[in-house]
Amino acid sequence: GAITRLLQKNTKGDLDSKKVLELRQIADRDYPDSDLQRGVEVIQNNYRPKLSKWFIEAYFTDGSGVEKSLPLSITGVNLPEDVDLNFLLPKED
């Protein structure tokens, strides 16, 4: 049923982070103190989503000293093929 659907992997073979969160909510609400709840906790604690997009935030201080968000949206930018952003990735242990 619903639990099996939430554990289905996507076409890349990965769990969906939104489905993992939904599964945790169902387990906490409907199956407290159960093996299911403990199992979902194990899944959530060990779940490492794969990087799909970069999110970068920028701020500036205006003339009156107030920090303001500077909107940036580069997720749709087609970068030249020779641009390598791998240095931004976390180092693997």
Side-chain angles (χ1 to χ4, degrees):
I3 293 172
T4 304
R5 178 184 57 81
L6 294 173
L7 287 171
Q8 288 180 338
K9 295 182 178 182
N10 63 20
T11 55
K12 294 180 182 178
D14 301 317
L15 292 173
D16 182 304
S17 60
K18 292 176 188 166
K19 289 181 179 180
V20 171
L21 181 59
E22 186 179 345
L23 183 60
R24 177 65 186 260
Q25 292 168 343
I26 290 171
D28 288 346
R29 182 187 67 230
D30 299 339
Y31 304 95
D33 299 318
S34 68
D35 287 342
L36 176 64
Q37 185 186 35
R38 287 184 284 283
V40 171
E41 187 174 328
V42 168
I43 291 169
Q44 191 173 30
N45 290 341
N46 291 290
Y47 176 69
R48 302 289 176 256
K50 294 189 178 171
L51 180 66
S52 62
K53 293 185 181 180
W54 293 97
F55 293 94
I56 300 172
E57 294 179 325
Y59 298 88
F60 70 97
T61 304
D62 69 10
S64 61
V66 176
E67 188 177 84
K68 294 191 174 189
S69 174
L70 180 63
L72 302 173
S73 178
I74 63 169
T75 57
V77 173
N78 291 322
L79 297 171
E81 287 187 27
D82 62 339
V83 173
D84 183 9
L85 298 177
N86 285 322
F87 68 93
L88 295 170
L89 290 171
K91 300 285 186 232
E92 300 238 354
D93 295 335

